C-alpha cells in the first residue's frame, strides 16, 4: 500500500480522518450523522440554504418517520461533530468525500447526471492529494470510469490512483428504515484498485455491522442496479400472472400462495403499481449501460412496461365495475408508493388519478400518512361511487367496511393489494373488484 494510502488508513482507524458528505438528502444525511456519531468530524455540503439551516439547527429535513434520526441529528449537531455548509471551500481539507446526490433518469430513461456533474466539478476544484472520494449515489454501470474519474481528473489536474483514490459504494436505504439499513445491510465497496477497496472497507466498518464485500467499480455499479431490476422483473411477473388469473376466472393470490410452496418459487405480490425512488429507475440505469452495444435487452423494458401499466388496469377494473367512469366520483385509498410510508415518489395513485380525471371522473384522495390527504376517510367517501385501494396502509385493513358502504353513494370496492376478503366485502354489502381475482366478476373488462 502506498504511503498516502497507509496514512489515510491510519486516520480512518483513528477516526481522525475528516469526512465530507455532498448531498444531504435521505441518503447523505443519515450517513453523515452516523459517522459523526462514531466520532468523525463531518461536514455536509448541500445546495439548499433552507436545508443547511435546518440541519445546523439540529433538525432533520427528512419528511416521514425515520426512527432514531431526529435524536441523532440533535446530538451530533449539538456536539459539533456534524456541520452543514453551502460552500465547497469548507471541505478542502477533508480526507474522505462521499457523494450522495440524486441521479434521476430523463423521459428517455437515460441518466443526465446534472447534479452529479455539478458536484464533481465543484469537488474537483478543491480536490487534494491523498483524498478518498466515494460515490454512493445509484449510477449506471460504467459511470465511474466514463463520467466520475474523467470529471474529477479534469477539474483537479490530479490523477486517480496516483494522487487521489476513487470508489463506488451503492447505498441500500429504504424510507422509514434509513438508519437501520445503513447499519444492518451489507455493502459492496468498489475501488479504483484493491487497496482502495481495502481503505473503503475499513472506513465503512465504523457504521456497517453486516458484510462489506470488496470489488471493482463495475461490480459495485452492477450489484445495485441488478438487485433492483431483479425485484422489478419479479414484481412484473406477479402482475402478469394476476392478469392471466383474472382472464381465466382464477384467484392469483391463492395461486401465488400455492406456487410459493414449491421450493425456490418466492413469487412476489401483484399490485396496483410500482413506485418509489429506486425500483422504477434502477432497471433503466442497468438497461442503458449497454446502449450501443450488441446486447438484446428485452426483459427489463418489458417488465417496466407491465408494472407501469398497472394503474391503468386498476382504472379498467373500476370502469368495469361501474359501467363507465364519466361523471363518477371516485375515492382513492393510499397515495404513498409504499404501505405505512408518506413517500409519494413515483406514486401509482398519482398515475391513476390522472387517468380517472381523463375519463371525466372526479377524484377524492385519502392517505393517513400524506399530509395533503389525511382526514376522516369516511367523510371523504361520502358521495363517492366507488373506493379504489392503491396502497396497503395498515389503517385500511382495520377500516369498517359497513361504515364505508353507508358513506359511499355506490357499492364498489376495488382492491389493488389484496387487503380485503370477498366475505368481508359481501358482509358489508359491497361488490369487490379484486386485482388478480375475477372469480366474482363485477363487470366485463
Ligand atoms: N411492490 C409490489 N409487489 C411486491 C413488492 C413491491 O407491487 O411484491 C411495489 C410496492 O407497492 C412499491 C414498489 O413495488 O410501490 C417498491 O416496493 P419495494 O418493497 O421494493 O420498496 P422500495 O422501493 O423502498 O425498495 C427498496 C429497495 N432497496 C434499495 O434500493 C436499497 C429494494 O431493493 C428493496 O428490496 C426494498 O426496499 C426492500 O424491501 O427492502
Amino acid at each position: 500500500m502506498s504511503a498516502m494510502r497507509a496514512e489515510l488508513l491510519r486516520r480512518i482507524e483513528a477516526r481522525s480522518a475528516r469526512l465530507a458528505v455532498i448531498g444531504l438528502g435521505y441518503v447523505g444525511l443519515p450517513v453523515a450523522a452516523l459517522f459523526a456519531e462514531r466520532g468523525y468530524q463531518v461536514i455536509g455540503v448541500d445546495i439548499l440554504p433552507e436545508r443547511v439551516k435546518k440541519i445546523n439547527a439540529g433538525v432533520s429535513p427528512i419528511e416521514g418517520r425515520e426512527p432514531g434520526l431526529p435524536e441523532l441529528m440533535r446530538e451530533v449537531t449539538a456536539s459539533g461533530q456534524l456541520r452543514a455548509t453551502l460552500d465547497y471551500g469548507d471541505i478542502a481539507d477533508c480526507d474522505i468525500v462521499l457523494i450522495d446526490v440524486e441521479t434521476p433518469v430523463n423521459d428517455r430513461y437515460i441518466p443526465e447526471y446534472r447534479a452529479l456533474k455539478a458536484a464533481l466539478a465543484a469537488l474537483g476544484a478543491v480536490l487534494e492529494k491523498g483524498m478518498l472520494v466515494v460515490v454512493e449515489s445509484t449510477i449506471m454501470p460504467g459511470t465511474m470510469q466514463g463520467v466520475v474519474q474523467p470529471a474529477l481528473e479534469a477539474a483537479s489536474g490530479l490523477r486517480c490512483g496516483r494522487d487521489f483514490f476513487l470508489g463506488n459504494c451503492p447505498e441500500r436505504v429504504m424510507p422509514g428504515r434509513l438508519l437501520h439499513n445503513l447499519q444492518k445491510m451489507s455493502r459492496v465497496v468498489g475501488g479504483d484498485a484493491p487497496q482502495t477497496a481495502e481503505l473503503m472497507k475499513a472506513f465503512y466498518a465504523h457504521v456497517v455491522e453486516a458484510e462489506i464485500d470488496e470489488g471493482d467499480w463495475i461490480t459495485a455499479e452492477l450489484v445495485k442496479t441488478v438487485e433492483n431490476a431483479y425485484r422489478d422483473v419479479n414484481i412484473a411477473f406477479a402482475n402478469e400472472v394476476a392478469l392471466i388469473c383474472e382472464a381465466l376466472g382464477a384467484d392469483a393470490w391463492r395461486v401465488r400462495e400455492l406456487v410459493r410452496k414449491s421450493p425456490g418459487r418466492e413469487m412476489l405480490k401483484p399490485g396496483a403499481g410500482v413506485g418509489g425512488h429506486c425500483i422504477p429507475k434502477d432497471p433503466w440505469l442497468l438497461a442503458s449501460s449497454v446502449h450501443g452495444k450488441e446486447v438484446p435487452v428485452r426483459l427489463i423494458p418489458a417488465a417496466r412496461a407491465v408494472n407501469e401499466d398497472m394503474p391503468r388496469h386498476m382504472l379498467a377494473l373500476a370502469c368495469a365495475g361501474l359501467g363507465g367512469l364519466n361523471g363518477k366520483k371516485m375515492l382513492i385509498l393510499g397515495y404513498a408508493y409504499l404501505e405505512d410510508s408518506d413517500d409519494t415518489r413515483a406514486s401509482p395513485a398519482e398515475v391513476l388519478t390522472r387517468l380517472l380525471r381523463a375519463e371525466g371522473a372526479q377524484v377524492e384522495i385519502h392517505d393517513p400518512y400524506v399530509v395533503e390527504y389525511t382526514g376522516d376517510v369516511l367523510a371523504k367517501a361520502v358521495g363517492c361511487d366507488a373506493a379504489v385501494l392503491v396502497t396497503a396502509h395498515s389503517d385500511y385493513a382495520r377500516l369498517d367496511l359497513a361504515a364505508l358502504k353507508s358513506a359511499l353513494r355506490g357499492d364498489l370496492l376495488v382492491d389493488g393489494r389484496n387487503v380485503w376478503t370477498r366475505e368481508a366485502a359481501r358482509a358489508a354489502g359491497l361488490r369487490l373488484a379484486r386485482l388478480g381475482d375475477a372469480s366474482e366478476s363485477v363487470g366485463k373488462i
Side-chain angles (χ1 to χ4, degrees):
M1 182 179 282
S2 71
M4 252 193 308
R5 279 196 178 93
E7 170 55 17
L8 185 48
L9 182 60
R10 188 190 62 73
R11 290 190 196 171
I12 286 172
E13 285 167 349
R15 300 184 205 210
S16 57
R18 285 156 312 221
L19 173 61
V21 178
I22 299 173
L24 299 175
Y26 66 87
V27 180
L29 186 65
V31 167
L34 268 180
F35 275 101
E37 184 202 40
R38 302 295 152 86
Y40 277 82
Q41 194 59 45
V42 183
I43 183 152
V45 184
D46 204 286
I47 55 169
L48 301 175
E50 263 319 290
R51 175 173 289 188
V52 167
K53 206 154 65 183
K54 247 184 165 181
I55 291 168
N56 286 332
V59 176
S60 164
I62 292 174
E63 306 293 320
R65 270 163 254 204
E66 287 300 342
L69 189 57
E71 301 79 354
L72 185 58
M73 285 297 303
R74 282 195 293 275
E75 181 195 321
V76 293
T77 46
S79 67
Q81 289 296 118
L82 171 62
R83 188 168 69 81
T85 179
L86 294 165
D87 180 4
Y88 274 83
D90 290 347
I91 67 172
D93 64 350
C94 282
D95 303 294
I96 299 171
V97 183
L98 305 184
I99 300 178
D100 286 307
V101 296
E102 60 162 10
T103 53
V105 292
N106 63 22
D107 53 10
R108 282 170 298 108
Y109 308 117
I110 305 284
E112 290 172 340
Y113 294 142
R114 258 194 290 275
L116 180 62
K117 286 176 180 169
L120 292 169
L123 171 59
V126 298
L127 196 63
E128 300 277 338
K129 281 194 176 184
M131 267 188 183
L132 167 62
V133 178
V134 181
V135 175
E136 293 195 319
S137 304
T138 302
I139 50 181
M140 177 178 78
T143 298
M144 290 302 292
Q145 186 175 357
V147 175
V148 180
Q149 177 183 359
L152 285 176
E153 289 182 334
S156 66
L158 300 177
R159 272 266 306 284
C160 172
R162 186 195 65 192
D163 303 320
F164 67 93
F165 312 120
L166 186 56
N168 174 230
C169 179
E171 46 80 14
R172 283 179 161 158
V173 298
M174 185 175 176
R177 292 160 49 185
L178 295 182
L179 289 179
H180 174 272
N181 281 21
L182 278 172
Q183 298 171 87
K184 305 293 184 197
M185 288 191 76
S186 68
R187 299 290 287 267
V188 178
V189 287
D192 59 79
Q195 301 88 332
T196 299
E198 242 180 274
L199 283 180
M200 295 166 74
K201 182 165 183 166
F203 173 66
Y204 281 100
H206 288 306
V207 297
V208 177
E209 297 158 25
E211 272 185 311
I212 300 171
D213 299 301
E214 296 169 69
D216 53 20
W217 289 345
I218 196 71
T219 303
E221 291 170 317
L222 279 165
V223 165
K224 171 70 183 178
T225 49
V226 166
E227 72 188 23
N228 282 347
Y230 173 89
R231 189 159 176 85
D232 197 51
V233 166
N234 281 276
I235 295 169
F237 177 78
N239 284 330
E240 190 140 284
V241 167
L243 303 182
I244 292 169
C245 288
E246 280 183 18
L248 299 180
D251 175 351
W253 300 94
R254 177 68 176 148
V255 167
R256 171 178 178 271
E257 183 190 345
L258 301 178
V259 161
R260 285 171 68 93
K261 291 191 173 181
S262 176
R265 301 318 192 271
E266 287 71 36
M267 186 173 157
L268 293 181
K269 294 177 184 171
V274 175
H277 53 296
C278 296
I279 308 299
K281 175 189 72 153
D282 296 356
W284 291 120
L285 292 176
L286 177 59
S288 53
S289 66
V290 285
H291 269 181
K293 298 179 190 321
E294 295 300 305
V295 177
V297 176
R298 293 187 291 260
L299 182 60
I300 292 168
R304 282 277 76 232
V306 169
N307 290 336
E308 284 173 356
D309 196 48
M310 292 315 287
R312 195 205 48 72
H313 185 67
M314 294 297 291
L315 180 87
L317 288 174
C319 187
L322 292 173
L325 292 167
N326 189 24
K328 296 287 192 300
K329 191 176 176 193
M330 311 297 286
L331 171 62
I332 284 190
L333 297 175
Y335 199 79
Y337 84 88
L338 197 65
E339 57 275 13
D340 300 338
S341 154
D342 70 345
D343 193 330
T344 60
R345 279 172 289 189
S347 152
E350 185 183 358
V351 177
L352 178 57
T353 299
R354 252 197 333 270
L355 293 171
L356 283 166
R357 287 179 175 149
E359 293 293 321
Q362 253 188 289
V363 180
E364 188 68 43
I365 300 169
H366 178 267
D367 188 301
Y369 293 90
V370 179
V371 65
E372 305 94 294
Y373 302 124
T374 52
D376 178 355
V377 62
L378 296 178
K380 290 195 171 199
V382 171
C384 289
D385 297 288
V388 183
L389 181 125
V390 178
T391 313
H393 291 313
S394 315
D395 296 27
Y396 294 137
R398 296 188 289 268
L399 185 59
D400 175 347
L401 291 184
L404 177 66
K405 169 68 173 68
S406 313
L408 287 171
R409 178 169 65 185
D411 63 352
L412 180 66
L413 182 55
V414 185
D415 183 354
R417 300 283 179 188
N418 188 30
V419 168
W420 296 293
T421 63
R422 289 204 169 288
E423 296 66 35
R426 196 177 300 119
L430 288 165
R431 290 182 299 137
L432 182 64
R434 200 167 166 245
L435 172 70
D437 168 14
S439 52
E440 280 182 24
S441 170
V442 281
K444 196 97 189 74
I445 285 193

